[in-house]
Amino acid sequence: MPKLSQFSFPKDRLSGRELIVVAALALILIFLMPPLLPGFRLDLLHRYLALAIVALGIDLIWGFTGLLSLGHGIFFALGGYAIAMHLKLQVPATASSSLPDFMMLYGVTELPWFWYPFYSFAFAVAAVVLIPAVLAALLGYLVFRNRIRGVYFSILTQAAIIVFFNFFNGQQKLFNGTNGLTDFQTLLGFPVRDAQTQYWFYVLTVIFLALAYLLCRWLTMGRFGRLLVAIRDDEARVRFSGYNPTSYKVLVFAISAALAGIGGAFFTLRTGIISPRAMDIAFSIEMVIWVAVGGRASLIGAVLGALLVNFARSLLSEQFADIWLFFQGALFLIVVLALPRGIVGWLRTEAPNLIAKLLGRPQPLATYPELEFDPEVQYEREVLEQEGK
């Protein structure tokens, strides 16, 4: 079972320096990267930044709360479908029918009732966030109130993703089945595939990633964040202390799903397609690998892991297309066996000792870690300092 000291604690207050760093990185991504990167690499960066938003949600539910979800592909795909349904309803005036093109192929003569609200852009944007969040809240409430956790929760999320995958895959008339929704034309009158439009989608992705980071940072610092960690480490003690872990777990699961929906929407706008493949089990497991590589309970690690793993996959698959999956499996094994805290966790804990050892400097002595967080020990230490002992 993880201990409090195994993962870093966020500070109780968001410092001005951290805000400046986040803003500076966002400005670099917006203004420096587009002219520096070739179009293909910028396209990849845009996709992976959208996936980084999903990784933040995974870190929130798994890294901080200890709930391993292997079904976040559902929420990712629902966000993508929500914005894609609005895009498919932007039928050109010169078209022979006002229905999306795939519906005519299957003989549909009238738009299904639940498609009508998606004519509204505002409704589609709200649906990107609310549909995944509400679904996660309902699913989470049914699961968590029965105190289902651990591997059983992971199995349930996998069962859920199989159900949703088969549903969307089999609905040719409603969602174009396995082909998914694609061939988008315009959004708010702007051509979706135009380079300038795609640039603004990229800018929005960067901004939403920064906002998602700040939201997660705000949630994980202070009492709420410590309660999430306490639920992860010892839920029974939290319940004994008078808290109801169910409500907190439902809330954080819903927020995590909403972030996945936002990431799915931006990913769909960039790739131009959303299909049931986004609900593939392997894709949901990949999301967990991103966070494991970057570092659990580290928001920076989640973003870094999503970018590193996906760029590594792109670069290695270009050279070794047939054996990329072996690299991915080896990467996960290395992280589990050699870097259980991920890259950021290693940099924070083991790297300073390694550097001190290489430089011949004395290494800090390891003490029992729980003492550093024991309020009684801290109180006694303060009293002794005041007494001058």
Side-chain angles (χ1 to χ4, degrees), residues 254-310:
I255 294 173
S256 173
L259 291 176
I262 294 171
F266 281 116
F267 192 83
T268 301
L269 287 173
R270 184 66 195 194
T271 58
I273 183 173
I274 183 67
S275 73
R277 286 181 58 84
M279 301 182 190
D280 188 62
I281 291 177
F283 183 52
S284 292
I285 294 176
E286 281 184 24
M287 297 176 184
V288 175
I289 294 177
W290 305 337
V291 178
V293 171
R296 286 179 60 191
S298 166
L299 300 175
I300 298 174
V303 175
L304 185 66
L307 295 177
L308 282 179
V309 173
N310 284 292

Side-chain angles (χ1 to χ4, degrees), residues 365-380:
L365 294 176
T367 59
Y368 189 62
E370 298 296 338
L371 293 177
E372 299 299 328
F373 301 99
D374 191 331
E376 294 183 2
V377 173
Q378 293 179 3
Y379 174 75
E380 291 176 2

Side-chain angles (χ1 to χ4, degrees), residues 37-199:
L37 290 178
F40 174 66
R41 298 297 175 196
L42 184 64
D43 172 61
L44 293 180
L45 177 62
H46 187 178
R47 297 180 188 206
Y48 301 156
L49 290 174
L51 296 179
I53 299 176
V54 184
L56 286 173
I58 294 286
D59 198 24
L60 203 60
I61 189 68
W62 180 45
F64 286 92
T65 318
L67 300 169
L68 179 57
S69 170
L70 298 178
H72 258 54
I74 298 174
F75 312 122
F76 178 87
L78 288 177
Y81 271 100
I83 195 67
M85 289 170 70
H86 174 75
L87 293 169
K88 289 300 293 180
L89 291 174
Q90 310 309 305
V91 181
T94 56
S96 58
S97 172
S98 60
L99 295 176
D101 49 4
F102 73 89
M103 288 187 180
M104 292 186 291
L105 297 177
Y106 294 110
V108 178
T109 57
E110 185 177 353
L111 191 68
W113 62 270
F114 62 88
W115 273 74
Y116 280 100
F118 288 92
Y119 274 114
S120 166
F121 176 69
F123 180 88
V125 171
V128 165
V129 178
L130 294 180
I131 290 179
V134 171
L135 176 65
L138 290 174
L139 180 64
Y141 178 73
L142 295 175
V143 172
F144 299 140
R145 75 167 185 170
N146 292 314
R147 303 189 181 183
I148 297 174
R149 56 186 178 181
V151 68
Y152 299 104
F153 173 72
S154 302
I155 292 173
L156 280 175
T157 54
Q158 283 216 327
I161 204 170
I162 292 173
V163 171
F164 274 84
F165 175 84
N166 288 323
F167 174 76
F168 277 84
N169 204 39
Q171 299 298 323
Q172 285 83 3
K173 292 183 179 180
L174 300 181
F175 302 109
N176 204 20
T178 188
N179 296 317
L181 303 181
T182 185
D183 192 23
F184 308 132
Q185 300 298 322
T186 60
L187 178 65
L188 298 176
F190 297 98
V192 173
R193 285 169 288 190
D194 183 74
Q196 191 65 23
T197 308
Q198 285 295 329
Y199 172 74

